[in-house]
Amino acid sequence: MVNTLFLPELREMLAEDNSAELLEFCTALNAGRTAEFMEGLTEDEMWRVLQFAPPDRRVEIFGYFEEPRQVDLLQTQDAAEVAALIERMPSDDRVDLLQQVTPERFQAILPLLPAGDRRDIQRLRSYEEETAGALMTSEVAMLSESLNVRAALDELAKQASDLETIYYLYVVDDDSRLRGIVSTRQLVSSLRRPDRTLGDLMETDVVVAQVDEDQESVAEKVERYNLLAIPVVDQSHQLLGIITHDDVIDVVRDELTEDAQRIAAVAPLEQDYLRIALWTLSYKRGIWLIILFFAALLTAFALEHYHDEISKYVWLVSFIPLIISAGGNSGSQSATLVITALTAGEVELADWKKVLSREVIVSMVLGIFLATIGYATALFMAPTPLAAMVIPLTLVAVIIVGCFFGAALPMLFQRLGLDPAMMSNPFVAGIVDILGIVIYINIAQLMLG
Amino acid sequence: MVNTLFLPELREMLAEDNSAELLEFCTALNAGRTAEFMEGLTEDEMWRVLQFAPPDRRVEIFGYFEEPRQVDLLQTQDAAEVAALIERMPSDDRVDLLQQVTPERFQAILPLLPAGDRRDIQRLRSYEEETAGALMTSEVAMLSESLNVRAALDELAKQASDLETIYYLYVVDDDSRLRGIVSTRQLVSSLRRPDRTLGDLMETDVVVAQVDEDQESVAEKVERYNLLAIPVVDQSHQLLGIITHDDVIDVVRDELTEDAQRIAAVAPLEQDYLRIALWTLSYKRGIWLIILFFAALLTAFALEHYHDEISKYVWLVSFIPLIISAGGNSGSQSATLVITALTAGEVELADWKKVLSREVIVSMVLGIFLATIGYATALFMAPTPLAAMVIPLTLVAVIIVGCFFGAALPMLFQRLGLDPAMMSNPFVAGIVDILGIVIYINIAQLMLG
């Protein structure tokens, strides 16, 4: 829903080059809302409006545009103006965006930046994706432990506008190795004893992220310890940067969305659904569909094998989809519950016996219930009430098998160091489909033949 | 993984009543880690160790215990000690926990609390679950706009230890109506101009949550505007409390986990997988399994209807599971992608044409590919190469139908004001299964008969 409320006025102001009113527009509301009112403009218009805002405000408003638009603007607008904007952006955000412009464009912008920013960008670009290094910002308040409260506040006042967050102060030694942290809360609480030093105040047992640590593990720490930001260090405990809480929410969201997609047998998109190339989308879905397809082909061969039995009892055919889907649905329920419980840390591998025994009990309850309905239906189609018993017996067996494998495979894959969300569904579906057919025909042979 | 490293030492200290060492244990590490080292203790031991910590530290360590243990401790330990702890806990957390103790216990603890806390607890308990009111904490720094920077900092220093977060100051009028906010960052930046007032500094265009607003909508605002905390107001704009970023991460996590469970046709558990009663679990899975089962029953009746055709062409039976699962899998991929994209805001209802046309293109690509493999297999089982063509033609048609309904139904349900994640999967599965069978038999009749 694009907000078009101010578009005519904005265009008129632009036509008149009315800098006073455009400045007023850029500063009167909060930056997020200002950005929303600009969404309906063309990119050239957006960029022109931005130029009327004070530089810090410009960066702030720009930060609320949608990411693809941000990339387009950096790609197409005046290089000097773009460089001026990039210079003031948070260091993690600008690197993210610069990864997405063309290499030619990147090389055109880079020389226009001050040497310090250039080095910072090159350094952050060198960290591998999905690690702490790739998420962090290098703007961080590093102070010495000999500073007292009053001096620390003054120092902070000087730096505050350049830093992404000032909610922790990081105390470092001369080699910028992390010694401890002081929260702004502690600093403010100590205002009445302004001669205490940061060394007196600091907490030395600090939760840190290693620069090459996986982003999910970092997010877990931030969540577990309710941190606003986590410091990122290298092997020698040198402080390289911090990761802030808003980046962590993004990681949690991405991680869980990937889980949901993997559970449905789609390789994680890693891009917006509407923006991803159709070719890539086909590929990411195709690989799993093909694996699932081969699993289903096995059922075709199994059924072919029982060709003679089927010719004899054609009424059994009507129930094939029912039986397969009962097993598949209960299996995918179990798999999803176990996967989400593993992700949330509610279940650990050590709980496997408990999980499996719960699944078996639940599947018996569900199986007996569905079998009763199934039997009532089978009575209409089967030649005798005894023959109809094939259906409920098969249903109970297939649902137990579905729940058992649905719960067991994610834990097995986790145990083997594989992603439970990624691997389980196709295997659960494949195993349950084929076992379902085999169980069905064998129960039928036993009962009828 | 329970950390057992310090357990023998801790038990020895308890046996000796060694208050110096126990105090040292409670304060040397950060509170989260201290709590981890206590996990292996019995609840009585945990509680006794806690009593050696200074009161604020005690609350902090307690906050890192797992929630079920927290509830057990409040339920079973000495009521006076429990009340002393509750008095100092963040107001949102304590209400959450008190909702989970028995009513008798709640009535026993309540009279031991100061009148102010009692009223606060009663008020917060009155808000409906999953609303802003139920998430918020009522401890918030409310200041008057006439205060200058220096005085505001002094005031903050006084309040800092009682407040959950001090990263925004809330400026209110005499009736505690919200007038604006000042971030601690702005306050600190302005330290060199200490005579400016909060009224000069404050941002008046504030993003707020209404007290009865749904928690997902609140989380969306906090994410969109990268807030550390969002103020909660009532209809007259009176400031009632704030919701902090850590509670928002929990909401995002819960919301996405619920989505994943709904996609797999499980009613959201709302409890830990291992703690939920088996009866409840059976019920939450059973309702959807039964709906899915009735959908599958329709396929049984459809196949029964085509009894004569099946007797004539028994080789077609072998491919029934393959065709059903190809449609079901591609449909559930589409449904999951559209649901997660709707949740993430990447897709809006207005995009429906674009979504459906993308799905049709992708499904044709996938369909033709799978149909080729299917044809190669069918050649082995069908009487003639022409007869074998039934399989690839059906596969293409079923996969297109699967993707189309998989993408269309979540958007339709959203349009109707229903939760797309909850409703879609069973309907997609039901529709695709039955259409798959009908398409299959009709193509077979056309080609063979």
Side-chain angles (χ1 to χ4, degrees), chain A residues 1 29-30 32-33 36 39 64 150 153 156-158 160 163-167 185 188-189 191-192 203 205-207 223-228 245-246 249 253 256-257 260-261 264-266 269 272-274 276 278 281-282 285-286 289-290 292-294 296-297 299-301 303-304 307 310-311 314 317-318 320-322 324-325 329-330 332-334 336-337 340-341 346-348 351 355 358-359 361-362 366 369-370 373-374 377 381 395 403, chain B residues 1 29-30 32-33 36 39 64 150 153 156-158 160 163-167 185 188-189 191-192 203 205-207 223-228 245-246 249 253 256-257 260-261 264-266 269 272-274 276 278 281-282 285-286 289-290 292-294 296-297 299-301 303-304 307 310-311 314 317-318 320-322 324-325 329-330 332-334 336-337 340-341 346-348 351 355 358-359 361-362 366 369-370 373-374 377 381 395 403:
Chain A
M1 238 51 87
L29 301 167
N30 77 49
R33 240 180 300 234
E36 275 168 30
E39 269 173 18
Y64 285 107
R150 174 70 57 214
L153 262 179
L156 209 55
K158 253 186 275 170
L163 296 173
E164 186 168 344
T165 170
I166 57 153
Y167 304 118
R185 174 207 292 258
V188 169
S189 301
L191 261 183
R192 280 174 296 179
E203 170 115 49
D205 178 35
V206 183
V207 178
E223 269 191 270
R224 181 177 179 82
Y225 295 105
N226 285 339
L227 305 173
L228 290 166
H245 68 105
D246 49 321
I249 293 193
R253 186 174 276 286
L256 290 168
T257 303
Q261 292 175 349
V266 183
L269 297 192
D272 276 17
Y273 171 76
L274 283 181
I276 195 168
L278 286 177
L281 185 60
S282 303
R285 298 171 58 161
L289 272 192
I290 289 166
L292 290 166
F293 192 80
F294 276 104
L297 270 182
T299 64
F301 286 110
L303 282 170
E304 173 76 5
H307 194 277
I310 291 169
S311 311
V314 174
V317 170
S318 306
I320 290 177
L322 181 78
I324 299 247
S325 77
N329 289 331
S330 48
S332 90
Q333 284 188 337
S334 302
T336 304
L337 289 174
T340 52
E346 293 168 12
V347 164
E348 292 180 0
D351 301 317
V355 170
R358 287 172 67 96
E359 283 302 315
I361 296 171
V362 169
L366 296 172
F369 193 88
L370 294 181
I373 312 176
T377 319
M381 303 187 189
L395 280 171
C403 291
Chain B
M1 241 47 89
L29 300 167
N30 77 49
R33 235 171 315 224
E36 276 169 28
E39 270 173 17
Y64 286 108
R150 173 72 56 216
L153 263 180
L156 209 54
K158 252 185 278 170
L163 297 173
E164 187 169 343
T165 171
I166 57 152
Y167 304 118
R185 172 207 293 260
V188 169
S189 302
L191 260 184
R192 281 176 294 179
E203 170 113 51
D205 178 35
V206 183
V207 179
E223 270 191 270
R224 181 178 180 83
Y225 295 105
N226 285 340
L227 305 173
L228 290 167
H245 68 106
D246 50 320
I249 293 192
R253 187 174 274 286
L256 290 168
T257 303
Q261 292 176 349
V266 184
L269 297 191
D272 276 16
Y273 171 77
L274 282 181
I276 195 168
L278 286 176
L281 186 60
S282 303
R285 299 172 58 163
L289 271 192
I290 290 168
L292 290 165
F293 192 80
F294 276 104
L297 270 181
T299 65
F301 286 109
L303 282 170
E304 173 75 5
H307 194 276
I310 291 169
S311 311
V314 175
V317 170
S318 306
I320 290 177
L322 181 77
I324 299 248
S325 78
N329 289 330
S330 48
S332 91
Q333 283 188 336
S334 302
T336 304
L337 288 175
T340 52
E346 293 169 11
V347 164
E348 291 181 0
D351 301 317
V355 170
R358 288 173 67 95
E359 283 301 315
I361 296 171
V362 168
L366 295 172
F369 194 87
L370 294 181
I373 311 176
T377 317
M381 303 187 189
L395 281 171
C403 291

Side-chain angles (χ1 to χ4, degrees), chain B residues 128-192:
Chain B
E128 223 178 310
E129 289 243 11
E130 313 219 328
T131 64
L135 273 185
M136 74 184 179
T137 176
S138 45
E139 286 128 4
V140 38
M142 300 194 197
L143 300 170
S144 143
E145 64 184 292
S146 60
L147 235 52
N148 67 27
V149 168
R150 173 72 56 216
L153 263 180
D154 283 345
E155 186 59 34
L156 209 54
K158 252 185 278 170
Q159 297 186 23
S161 62
D162 290 334
L163 297 173
E164 187 169 343
T165 171
I166 57 152
Y167 304 118
Y168 300 107
L169 309 183
Y170 298 90
V171 181
V172 294
D173 67 15
D174 295 340
D175 295 324
S176 43
R177 272 193 287 267
L178 182 63
R179 300 266 302 132
I181 65 169
V182 178
S183 70
T184 309
R185 172 207 293 260
Q186 283 168 291
L187 200 66
V188 169
S189 302
S190 306
L191 260 184
R192 281 176 294 179

